[in-house]
């Protein structure tokens, strides 16, 4: 005799309606009926919509409603914690989906989790900051049973975090993780360093990358390596033996900045790009040296579990190495060297940036809460 239960209902509060947030909302609202998701709150930088019974929004109307609705509220994270906690009951969970890059929102995760509200996010800030915040998140999750899921913090929609967690949970021993973790750095060095002497100048490649939207408005925010360091911190903290090894978070990662020291204090992205040609000769010399050795330059991240070393650096790889042959555009590639995958590493490869694939990573985490 079979029994049936009502499907789990998940009330969803979304913070952030920018590129990733907007795409996520469209994917959420387009989910096939009967949907287990009920969108109860939507928050931008200036307004919040909230209805515990669900907001009547469409993929084409949500931004207009946020801008003009007469029931708009001011953004208030404490309000969201209280209201979402009140909605949590057996068979009916609530989740905060943080699609921002806000440190303020990230520091509220322990409060949401302690209140029994799940957290799903592509925001790297909480999981790559100082160890104390990460431990607060872990403790709050364990205390309430609410889960935090952050697949999209590394590799956008690629299954990087979940793969690492599965390897560890099933008893494999992770020896080393190495990869090209930045879509921006991937594009820049795929174009700049091909294994041949000569080629476009470093500054021109950075300028094109900025025009295409691959870099931040200020390219130094990519070239300083902090984004890669954050991702390495997130992965390191999934590995029990390394969890406490980066007390200051990404700032504890040995990181090589590609920002010329003379440009470190330049506040304007336009000025930075205009002055970068002054340093092309330095980058040309690095490329020429690699080419003479039959190698390419790639900005990589490495988590060496056995030595405990975590680093983000510009390194040389043979022209036959997958980091030289398998990448195109802004692809990411991550290799997991483990006891089970000893002779040949487990490789995750694909688009590591972009609103659609990042939102997909967030959506896949949301699905894990109901299926």
């Amino acid at each position: 005799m079979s029994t049936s239960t009502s499907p789990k209902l998940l009330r969803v509060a979304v913070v952030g309606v920018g590129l990733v947030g907007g795409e996520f909302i469209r994917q959420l609202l387009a989910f096939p009926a009967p949907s287990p998701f009920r969108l109860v709150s939507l928050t931008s930088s200036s307004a919040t919509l909230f209805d515990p019974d669900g907001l009547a929004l469409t993929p084409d109307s949500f931004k207009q409603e946020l801008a003009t609705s007469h029931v708009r509220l001011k953004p208030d994270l404490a309000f969201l914690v209280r209201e979402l906690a009140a909605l949590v009951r057996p068979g009916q969970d609530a989740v905060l989906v943080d699609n921002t890059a806000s440190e303020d929102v990230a520091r509220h995760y322990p409060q949401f989790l302690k209140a029994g509200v799940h957290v799903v996010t592509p925001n790297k800030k909480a999981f790559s900051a100082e160890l104390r915040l990460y431990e607060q998140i872990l403790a709050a999750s364990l205390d309430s049973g609410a889960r935090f899921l952050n697949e999209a913090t590394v590799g956008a929609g690629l299954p990087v975090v979940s793969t690492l967690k599965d390897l560890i949970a099933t008893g494999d021993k992770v020896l080393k993780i190495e990869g090209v973790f930045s879509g921006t750095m991937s594009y820049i060095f795929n174009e700049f360093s091909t294994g041949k002497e000569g080629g476009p100048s470093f500054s021109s490649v950075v300028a094109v990358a900025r025009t295409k939207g691959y870099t931040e408005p200020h390219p130094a925010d990519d070239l300083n390596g902090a984004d890669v360091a954050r991702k390495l911190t997130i992965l390191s903290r999934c590995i029990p033996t390394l969890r406490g090894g980066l007390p200051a978070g990404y700032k504890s990662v040995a990181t090589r900045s590609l920002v010329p020291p003379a440009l470190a204090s330049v506040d304007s992205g336009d000025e930075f790009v205009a002055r970068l040609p002054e340093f092309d000769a330095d980058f040309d010399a690095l490329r020429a040296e690699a080419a003479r050795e039959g190698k390419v330059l790639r900005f990589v991240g490495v988590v060496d579990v056995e030595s405990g070393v975590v680093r983000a650096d510009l390194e040389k790889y043979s022209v036959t190495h997958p980091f030289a042959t398998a990448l195109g555009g802004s692809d990411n590639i991550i290799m997991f060297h483990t006891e089970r995958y000893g002779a040949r590493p487990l490789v995750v490869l694909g688009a590591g940036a972009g609103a659609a694939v990042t939102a997909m990573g967030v959506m896949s985490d949301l699905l894990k809460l109901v299926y």
Side-chain angles (χ1 to χ4, degrees), residues 81 85 108-119 136-137 139-146:
V81 172
H108 278 77
Y109 293 173
Q111 296 176 39
F112 283 100
L113 291 164
K114 191 172 183 180
V117 178
H118 305 295
V119 173
Q136 289 174 344
I137 290 170
S141 176
L142 287 170
D143 183 55
S144 70

mmCIF file of all heavy atoms in Angstrom, residues 81 85 108-119 136-137 139-146:
data_model
loop_
_atom_site.group_PDB
_atom_site.id
_atom_site.type_symbol
_atom_site.label_atom_id
_atom_site.label_comp_id
_atom_site.label_asym_id
_atom_site.label_seq_id
_atom_site.Cartn_x
_atom_site.Cartn_y
_atom_site.Cartn_z
ATOM 1 N N VAL A 81 14.508 38.594 8.266
ATOM 2 C CA VAL A 81 14.782 37.494 9.200
ATOM 3 C C VAL A 81 13.524 37.148 9.990
ATOM 4 O O VAL A 81 13.136 35.979 10.087
ATOM 5 C CB VAL A 81 15.939 37.859 10.162
ATOM 6 C CG1 VAL A 81 16.078 36.787 11.250
ATOM 7 C CG2 VAL A 81 17.254 37.994 9.408
ATOM 8 N N ALA A 85 11.337 33.711 9.277
ATOM 9 C CA ALA A 85 11.320 32.755 10.387
ATOM 10 C C ALA A 85 9.894 32.365 10.750
ATOM 11 O O ALA A 85 9.621 31.205 11.096
ATOM 12 C CB ALA A 85 12.040 33.355 11.596
ATOM 13 N N HIS A 108 24.739 38.740 7.602
ATOM 14 C CA HIS A 108 23.458 38.381 8.228
ATOM 15 C C HIS A 108 23.137 36.897 8.081
ATOM 16 O O HIS A 108 22.134 36.432 8.656
ATOM 17 C CB HIS A 108 22.314 39.208 7.623
ATOM 18 C CG HIS A 108 22.185 40.588 8.212
ATOM 19 N ND1 HIS A 108 23.035 41.615 7.875
ATOM 20 C CD2 HIS A 108 21.313 41.102 9.124
ATOM 21 C CE1 HIS A 108 22.676 42.718 8.537
ATOM 22 N NE2 HIS A 108 21.651 42.421 9.299
ATOM 23 N N TYR A 109 23.957 36.141 7.343
ATOM 24 C CA TYR A 109 23.643 34.723 7.145
ATOM 25 C C TYR A 109 23.455 33.974 8.462
ATOM 26 O O TYR A 109 22.514 33.168 8.582
ATOM 27 C CB TYR A 109 24.727 34.028 6.309
ATOM 28 C CG TYR A 109 24.840 34.452 4.869
ATOM 29 C CD1 TYR A 109 25.892 33.982 4.075
ATOM 30 C CD2 TYR A 109 23.921 35.314 4.271
ATOM 31 C CE1 TYR A 109 26.024 34.355 2.748
ATOM 32 C CE2 TYR A 109 24.044 35.699 2.949
ATOM 33 C CZ TYR A 109 25.114 35.222 2.193
ATOM 34 O OH TYR A 109 25.239 35.599 0.870
ATOM 35 N N PRO A 110 24.321 34.154 9.468
ATOM 36 C CA PRO A 110 24.101 33.418 10.727
ATOM 37 C C PRO A 110 22.726 33.681 11.332
ATOM 38 O O PRO A 110 22.112 32.764 11.909
ATOM 39 C CB PRO A 110 25.224 33.927 11.636
ATOM 40 C CG PRO A 110 26.311 34.332 10.692
ATOM 41 C CD PRO A 110 25.591 34.923 9.514
ATOM 42 N N GLN A 111 22.213 34.915 11.203
ATOM 43 C CA GLN A 111 20.901 35.236 11.760
ATOM 44 C C GLN A 111 19.793 34.496 11.014
ATOM 45 O O GLN A 111 18.867 33.949 11.628
ATOM 46 C CB GLN A 111 20.665 36.746 11.700
ATOM 47 C CG GLN A 111 21.632 37.549 12.553
ATOM 48 C CD GLN A 111 21.433 39.041 12.390
ATOM 49 O OE1 GLN A 111 20.312 39.522 12.289
ATOM 50 N NE2 GLN A 111 22.534 39.785 12.360
ATOM 51 N N PHE A 112 19.885 34.478 9.681
ATOM 52 C CA PHE A 112 18.882 33.751 8.899
ATOM 53 C C PHE A 112 18.917 32.262 9.232
ATOM 54 O O PHE A 112 17.883 31.635 9.471
ATOM 55 C CB PHE A 112 19.117 33.955 7.393
ATOM 56 C CG PHE A 112 18.655 35.275 6.875
ATOM 57 C CD1 PHE A 112 19.552 36.315 6.664
ATOM 58 C CD2 PHE A 112 17.313 35.512 6.600
ATOM 59 C CE1 PHE A 112 19.131 37.546 6.185
ATOM 60 C CE2 PHE A 112 16.877 36.741 6.118
ATOM 61 C CZ PHE A 112 17.784 37.757 5.912
ATOM 62 N N LEU A 113 20.115 31.696 9.252
ATOM 63 C CA LEU A 113 20.257 30.265 9.504
ATOM 64 C C LEU A 113 19.785 29.901 10.908
ATOM 65 O O LEU A 113 19.096 28.893 11.104
ATOM 66 C CB LEU A 113 21.709 29.838 9.299
ATOM 67 C CG LEU A 113 22.213 29.888 7.852
ATOM 68 C CD1 LEU A 113 23.734 29.825 7.809
ATOM 69 C CD2 LEU A 113 21.608 28.751 7.026
ATOM 70 N N LYS A 114 20.139 30.711 11.898
ATOM 71 C CA LYS A 114 19.714 30.449 13.270
ATOM 72 C C LYS A 114 18.198 30.458 13.393
ATOM 73 O O LYS A 114 17.616 29.732 14.210
ATOM 74 C CB LYS A 114 20.332 31.485 14.208
ATOM 75 C CG LYS A 114 20.165 31.148 15.683
ATOM 76 C CD LYS A 114 20.953 32.109 16.549
ATOM 77 C CE LYS A 114 20.831 31.725 18.031
ATOM 78 N NZ LYS A 114 21.609 32.656 18.905
ATOM 79 N N ALA A 115 17.539 31.268 12.550
ATOM 80 C CA ALA A 115 16.081 31.353 12.552
ATOM 81 C C ALA A 115 15.434 30.229 11.753
ATOM 82 O O ALA A 115 14.204 30.196 11.619
ATOM 83 C CB ALA A 115 15.644 32.705 11.991
ATOM 84 N N GLY A 116 16.254 29.309 11.216
ATOM 85 C CA GLY A 116 15.711 28.181 10.467
ATOM 86 C C GLY A 116 15.493 28.451 8.998
ATOM 87 O O GLY A 116 14.834 27.675 8.305
ATOM 88 N N VAL A 117 16.061 29.553 8.501
ATOM 89 C CA VAL A 117 15.899 29.940 7.099
ATOM 90 C C VAL A 117 17.133 29.493 6.316
ATOM 91 O O VAL A 117 18.263 29.846 6.676
ATOM 92 C CB VAL A 117 15.712 31.469 6.968
ATOM 93 C CG1 VAL A 117 15.587 31.873 5.495
ATOM 94 C CG2 VAL A 117 14.486 31.922 7.763
ATOM 95 N N HIS A 118 16.927 28.704 5.253
ATOM 96 C CA HIS A 118 18.036 28.287 4.407
ATOM 97 C C HIS A 118 18.651 29.502 3.700
ATOM 98 O O HIS A 118 17.973 30.523 3.490
ATOM 99 C CB HIS A 118 17.567 27.293 3.332
ATOM 100 C CG HIS A 118 16.862 26.090 3.872
ATOM 101 N ND1 HIS A 118 17.472 25.157 4.668
ATOM 102 C CD2 HIS A 118 15.579 25.657 3.717
ATOM 103 C CE1 HIS A 118 16.610 24.198 4.968
ATOM 104 N NE2 HIS A 118 15.459 24.485 4.412
ATOM 105 N N VAL A 119 19.899 29.373 3.296
ATOM 106 C CA VAL A 119 20.581 30.419 2.534
ATOM 107 C C VAL A 119 21.169 29.802 1.270
ATOM 108 O O VAL A 119 21.897 28.804 1.343
ATOM 109 C CB VAL A 119 21.701 31.089 3.352
ATOM 110 C CG1 VAL A 119 22.515 32.051 2.474
ATOM 111 C CG2 VAL A 119 21.127 31.824 4.565
ATOM 112 N N GLN A 136 30.630 30.914 12.488
ATOM 113 C CA GLN A 136 29.297 31.316 12.928
ATOM 114 C C GLN A 136 28.229 30.744 11.993
ATOM 115 O O GLN A 136 27.161 30.313 12.438
ATOM 116 C CB GLN A 136 29.192 32.842 12.973
ATOM 117 C CG GLN A 136 29.979 33.490 14.087
ATOM 118 C CD GLN A 136 29.970 35.010 13.995
ATOM 119 O OE1 GLN A 136 29.639 35.595 12.966
ATOM 120 N NE2 GLN A 136 30.338 35.668 15.091
ATOM 121 N N ILE A 137 28.520 30.736 10.701
ATOM 122 C CA ILE A 137 27.590 30.181 9.723
ATOM 123 C C ILE A 137 27.421 28.676 9.955
ATOM 124 O O ILE A 137 26.294 28.147 9.979
ATOM 125 C CB ILE A 137 28.082 30.467 8.294
ATOM 126 C CG1 ILE A 137 27.949 31.959 7.985
ATOM 127 C CG2 ILE A 137 27.314 29.634 7.268
ATOM 128 C CD1 ILE A 137 28.630 32.389 6.702
ATOM 129 N N ALA A 139 27.947 26.983 12.739
ATOM 130 C CA ALA A 139 27.283 26.744 14.017
ATOM 131 C C ALA A 139 25.784 26.996 13.920
ATOM 132 O O ALA A 139 24.970 26.216 14.444
ATOM 133 C CB ALA A 139 27.902 27.627 15.102
ATOM 134 N N ALA A 140 25.393 28.081 13.240
ATOM 135 C CA ALA A 140 23.973 28.407 13.102
ATOM 136 C C ALA A 140 23.245 27.341 12.287
ATOM 137 O O ALA A 140 22.111 26.959 12.597
ATOM 138 C CB ALA A 140 23.814 29.777 12.451
ATOM 139 N N SER A 141 23.907 26.853 11.242
ATOM 140 C CA SER A 141 23.313 25.805 10.407
ATOM 141 C C SER A 141 23.129 24.512 11.199
ATOM 142 O O SER A 141 22.075 23.870 11.142
ATOM 143 C CB SER A 141 24.196 25.564 9.181
ATOM 144 O OG SER A 141 23.700 24.497 8.394
ATOM 145 N N LEU A 142 24.148 24.134 11.959
ATOM 146 C CA LEU A 142 24.057 22.914 12.764
ATOM 147 C C LEU A 142 22.990 23.046 13.841
ATOM 148 O O LEU A 142 22.272 22.093 14.154
ATOM 149 C CB LEU A 142 25.411 22.606 13.402
ATOM 150 C CG LEU A 142 26.501 22.086 12.471
ATOM 151 C CD1 LEU A 142 27.851 22.060 13.175
ATOM 152 C CD2 LEU A 142 26.142 20.694 11.954
ATOM 153 N N ASP A 143 22.866 24.235 14.410
ATOM 154 C CA ASP A 143 21.923 24.466 15.503
ATOM 155 C C ASP A 143 20.476 24.341 15.045
ATOM 156 O O ASP A 143 19.640 23.750 15.732
ATOM 157 C CB ASP A 143 22.177 25.855 16.102
ATOM 158 C CG ASP A 143 21.270 26.139 17.292
ATOM 159 O OD1 ASP A 143 21.275 25.332 18.243
ATOM 160 O OD2 ASP A 143 20.555 27.157 17.272
ATOM 161 N N SER A 144 20.174 24.896 13.874
ATOM 162 C CA SER A 144 18.776 24.940 13.420
ATOM 163 C C SER A 144 18.416 23.857 12.409
ATOM 164 O O SER A 144 17.242 23.532 12.228
ATOM 165 C CB SER A 144 18.485 26.306 12.795
ATOM 166 O OG SER A 144 19.174 26.434 11.560
ATOM 167 N N GLY A 145 19.432 23.324 11.725
ATOM 168 C CA GLY A 145 19.160 22.373 10.647
ATOM 169 C C GLY A 145 18.949 23.048 9.306
ATOM 170 O O GLY A 145 18.808 22.371 8.287
ATOM 171 N N ALA A 146 18.922 24.389 9.287
ATOM 172 C CA ALA A 146 18.823 25.101 8.009
ATOM 173 C C ALA A 146 20.140 24.948 7.250
ATOM 174 O O ALA A 146 21.211 24.916 7.847
ATOM 175 C CB ALA A 146 18.512 26.576 8.245
#
